[in-house]
Every structure is written in structure tokens, then in C-alpha cells.
Amino acid sequence: DQRLYRHSFGAPPEPITPEPPTPRSLRYADGRITPDGRWLICVRERHEANGVSNELVALPTDGATPPQIIAEGYDFYAFPRISPDGRRLAWLAWRHPQLPWDGTELWVAELQADATLHKPQRIAGGPTESIFQPEWRSDGMLYFVSDRTNWWNLYRVVAGESEAVAPLAAEFGGPQWVFGLSQYTFLADGTIACIYAQEGFDYLGLIASDSHHVQPIPC
């Protein structure tokens, strides 16, 4: 039925989103829960008589109130990602007829206690730059993948500016056919474990927190 449910141990699953006005007309994806456990933030697709709309919504994890729209106006949204301290939200947005591997925008805003957004700011991306997989490191630094050099390489935001992490003639991103794709992650010591494609082959690699080079993992 495309509704969101919560499953508590020893009890049947219970819906936390309202019954849609028509069957399966409200669809949810790519959700993340705030660190305090109060809010779920996700992409919602609405099917109505006058067309289809996509937006970011927030709803209480107990389903006490209906979802509220926190970002709208673009044709597509993906990757809503909450900072470790719960105070910021990053997400991707783009417009038709662009596909996500053509051009997307990376936005960041302050996430208020009521799950509304304050001071949204475009960090990177545009009609000819594809952004992939924004992620927050444990210390609150924002990372993302961009194809601004015609290679999907890894970047991070330092003092409001984008900085290349380990420039390489390789692809650290990929086409967003589905939600929730992941090409890299952070290990406990800050090292980045990643998958990258080069000359037709996929590789595993490590990028140390104090390094600008990818160390391949022998397979």
C-alpha cells in the first residue's frame, strides 16, 4: 500500500503515515531518522489528478502527525542525509528533463527542532554537474562525489569551499538508477573505504584521513 510502518518487538507493524487519498498514491523512499529518534526524513512522491510531485517530507517516528513538506519545487529529490549532530540536512535535487547523471544540485540547510529547514544553501552542482552520494563524516564534515572534471571524484566541503579528496582518472560514483546507492563509507578511524571504476574494472580502495591518494586493496 506504499505506507510507512513501524515494527516494535512483540507487536504487529503499525502504519505511521496516513491512508493515501487514492490507493498507493503516496510513496516514500530513502528515509533517515534523526539522531534523537524523533523524526524520519525521506523522499515522497505524490500521484494526483494534475500530475506527479516529488518533495522531501519529515514525520514523527511514532506517526503522531502527518508528514510535513520541508523541501519542494524541484522535480526530483534524493539522498536526504542528516549530520551526526542532527543540526543539518544535505540532499540532492534536480529538474526535468535532466537525469541524475546529467546535472544535480547539492543543498544543505539547518535542521530545526521541529524538522523544518532554515537557510538552505546550494553547495555544489548544476545543470552540467552531477553530484552523487553526499555523506557526513562523524565530525560533521560533508563529503560528496562530483563529475565536474568529467570523472566522478570524491570531494569534501572545507570552510564553505569544495576540495578534491583524492583526484584520480576513475569513477567513484555511478548512475542513480535507484535510491540509496553507496560507493564509499567511513571507517572508525576516519579512513574512507571506497569502490571505484578504472579502465573497465571495479576496485576496492582506502583513503587515509591524512592522505590524498587511493590505496588499492589487493583482491
Side-chain angles (χ1 to χ4, degrees), residues 6-63:
R6 183 177 68 172
H7 185 200
S8 300
F9 182 75
E14 56 181 338
I16 60 172
T17 53
E19 187 78 39
T22 58
R24 299 178 296 281
S25 60
L26 298 177
R27 305 173 185 181
Y28 304 88
D30 210 6
R32 291 293 186 275
I33 294 175
T34 54
D36 61 9
R38 294 181 55 207
W39 298 96
L40 172 68
I41 297 175
C42 63
V43 179
R44 183 176 71 180
E45 183 177 89
R46 287 186 292 122
H47 291 250
E48 299 175 325
N50 59 349
V52 178
S53 300
N54 288 280
E55 57 228 358
L56 294 183
V57 298
L59 63 146
T61 52
D62 62 1

Side-chain angles (χ1 to χ4, degrees), residues 93-180:
W94 65 98
R95 303 184 191 278
H96 182 80
Q98 291 167 312
L99 295 171
W101 48 86
D102 295 326
T104 55
E105 297 177 11
L106 172 60
W107 287 78
V108 174
E110 297 175 8
L111 183 60
Q112 305 297 293
D114 62 356
T116 57
L117 301 181
H118 185 55
K119 295 181 180 179
Q121 180 182 6
R122 184 169 65 86
I123 300 298
T128 60
E129 180 183 1
S130 172
I131 307 296
F132 176 86
Q133 194 191 344
E135 297 285 356
W136 300 93
R137 201 169 65 179
S138 61
D139 62 358
M141 182 170 286
L142 180 63
Y143 284 68
F144 62 93
V145 176
S146 167
D147 73 346
R148 61 183 61 178
T149 64
N150 290 324
W151 295 102
W152 263 314
N153 273 202
L154 192 60
Y155 294 80
R156 62 186 177 187
V157 180
V158 180
E161 300 294 330
S162 299
E163 173 185 281
V165 174
L168 190 66
E171 307 285 13
F172 289 79
Q176 295 181 56
W177 296 111
V178 295
F179 288 111

